[in-house]
Amino acid sequence: MATQTEALTETPVRPFDLFPVEVAAVRRLSPSFVRVTFAGEGLEHFADNGYDQRFKLIFPAPACGFDKMPTSERWYSELRALPEEEQCPVRTYTVRAVRPALREVDVDMVVHEAHGEDDCGPALRWLREAAAGDRLLLLGPDARWEGPHGGVDFHAPEGAEILVAGDETALPAIAAILEDLPITARGKAFVEVPEAADAMALDAPEDVEVVWLAREGAPWGELLVPAVTEAARGMDFAVTDQFDEVDDEMIWEVPQEAAQSDAYVWIAAETGVVKTLRFTIRKELGLPKESGAFMGYWRNGRAWD
Ligand SMILES: Cc1cc2nc3c(=O)[nH]c(=O)nc-3n(C[C@H](O)[C@H](O)[C@H](O)COP(=O)(O)OP(=O)(O)OC[C@H]3O[C@@H](n4cnc5c(N)ncnc54)[C@H](O)[C@@H]3O)c2cc1C
């Protein structure tokens, strides 16, 4: 009889697919970051799209691990139909590096402070105990799919001045974006991290200034919001008065294509912080919708289901 792992690798090619993996290494990068390297048969097909390619980590269900994990086309609705204890929790992360020849994928995960069990979701709970040999599922882009995979949200037009900003959850995406920008790119990147020791060397083009903002106990966004607002004020963009209100749950405004413009803004952070920045930059300063991506990466005090 085919095992769960074999069944998953035998499904037809889809843009995003399930990859059974094992933890190959866990390495502390800084006080708030751990790099997890996953390895597995099949990862030679994991697409290396760069930039802010997002993907899913699927964790073992509390009651039964991966035993009841559905594998069909409709796996997500089937998963959600299971009793809660049998559902594998799913969380979104950024691909930090792909090494197809070695069948490896890296992800940089934030070890955030948790004051109680409510503050500790399945990803953090798993990360605290993560060790070589642990089994997990990745849902990521399959290189054998010939069309677009989706899940890359950075679409800066060529030649535009760029403003990239985020908190620690966006650092892996910002690091990858900066690495993949053309060497002629120009602009600024702001990264708000829990403490100064979380700043790390980033491979950015010469004309992209990287600014680290260490919170050192201040609330999320306290440093990021004024710094990014000031930088946005100094940018030259065609002003619009078109602005749609969005509800608090839905901070995800991403233009799907790079409209030609002289300025481009990409912001990902805690949802309330992104909401504030989107309001200032889109409504008050008038940045056109096509020139900015605003993404809530997590919600303070709320699990991301
Ligand atoms: C497109 C995208 C890409 C992302 N990439 C990355 C990445 O590469 N690395 C990364 O570490 N995160 C990344 N995130 C954020 C990550 O998905 C969330 O932090 C997620 O909520 C963590 O899941 P959890 O199970 O630990 O907590 P949940 O079950 O979602 O939440 C439980 C509690 O933990 C709190 N919480 C969750 N995350 C944080 C945090 N970072 N700081 C403080 N409190 C928190 C919640 O407010 C809640 O109270 C990304 C999110 C998106 C949408």
Side-chain angles (χ1 to χ4, degrees):
M1 205 173 90
T3 64
Q4 185 81 0
T5 302
E6 283 160 357
L8 287 171
T9 51
E10 280 165 14
T11 52
V13 176
R14 300 182 281 216
F16 257 63
D17 222 332
L18 293 164
F19 295 87
V21 292
E22 279 192 0
V23 172
V26 180
R27 184 157 71 93
R28 178 69 71 160
L29 298 179
S30 76
S32 309
F33 274 96
V34 165
R35 175 162 297 166
V36 182
T37 298
F38 294 106
E41 292 292 325
L43 283 185
E44 68 273 25
H45 301 304
F46 197 101
D48 185 7
N49 294 329
Y51 289 102
D52 55 341
Q53 175 75 66
R54 63 190 136 91
F55 75 129
K56 305 282 183 195
L57 298 184
I58 304 178
F59 301 95
C64 54
F66 293 108
D67 290 352
K68 302 231 170 133
M69 177 68 201
T71 59
S72 78
E73 289 269 329
R74 295 176 310 283
W75 67 270
Y76 192 72
S77 50
E78 289 171 13
L79 179 73
R80 287 299 176 225
L82 291 170
E84 204 173 313
E85 286 293 291
E86 295 177 5
Q87 289 183 26
C88 295
V90 180
R91 292 291 183 274
T92 308
Y93 281 82
T94 305
V95 177
R96 185 63 191 90
V98 185
R99 291 177 293 279
L102 297 176
R103 297 175 176 154
E104 286 181 353
V105 169
D106 289 342
V107 55
D108 290 354
M109 299 176 74
V110 176
V111 193
H112 61 84
E113 212 178 306
H115 301 290
E117 266 308 286
D118 283 354
D119 271 355
C120 189
L124 180 62
R125 210 170 293 130
W126 177 86
L127 183 62
R128 283 171 165 172
E129 307 286 321
D134 288 354
R135 285 175 56 221
L136 220 68
L137 281 174
L138 311 187
L139 177 73
D142 191 324
R144 291 168 295 179
W145 179 260
E146 286 173 9
H149 295 111
V152 172
D153 296 305
F154 183 90
H155 299 291
E158 214 184 313
E161 178 185 5
I162 57 159
L163 171 57
V164 172
D167 65 14
E168 58 271 33
T169 61
L171 174 54
I174 293 173
I177 288 168
L178 296 181
E179 276 167 18
D180 291 344
L181 281 171
I183 50 165
T184 51
R186 64 200 167 81
K188 285 195 172 121
F190 293 89
V191 195
E192 192 189 83
V193 285
E195 47 187 293
D198 288 314
M200 47 186 89
L202 299 182
D203 183 9
E206 208 173 291
D207 290 334
V208 177
E209 183 192 354
V210 179
V211 180
W212 292 95
L213 304 164
R215 270 196 313 274
E216 308 290 357
W220 281 280
E222 192 160 289
L223 305 177
L224 193 68
V225 169
V228 173
T229 303
E230 194 191 328
R233 278 191 211 287
M235 290 174 88
D236 186 15
F237 44 77
V239 173
T240 178
D241 60 2
Q242 289 177 351
F243 178 78
D244 313 314
E245 297 291 345
V246 291
D247 69 38
D248 288 5
E249 306 290 316
M250 279 280 304
I251 305 292
W252 197 269
E253 184 177 67
V254 179
Q256 278 318 300
E257 282 177 21
Q260 202 42 58
S261 70
D262 294 336
Y264 176 80
V265 174
W266 180 103
I267 295 175
E270 195 281 321
T271 292
V273 173
V274 176
K275 195 179 177 203
T276 303
L277 281 169
R278 176 179 177 267
F279 187 85
T280 308
I281 297 172
R282 287 266 294 104
K283 186 163 171 112
E284 293 180 5
L285 303 182
L287 181 82
K289 190 175 180 174
E290 322 71 75
S291 300
F294 294 87
M295 294 156 293
Y297 265 21
W298 65 284
R299 290 180 295 190
N300 197 3
R302 299 272 310 271
W304 198 279
D305 278 321

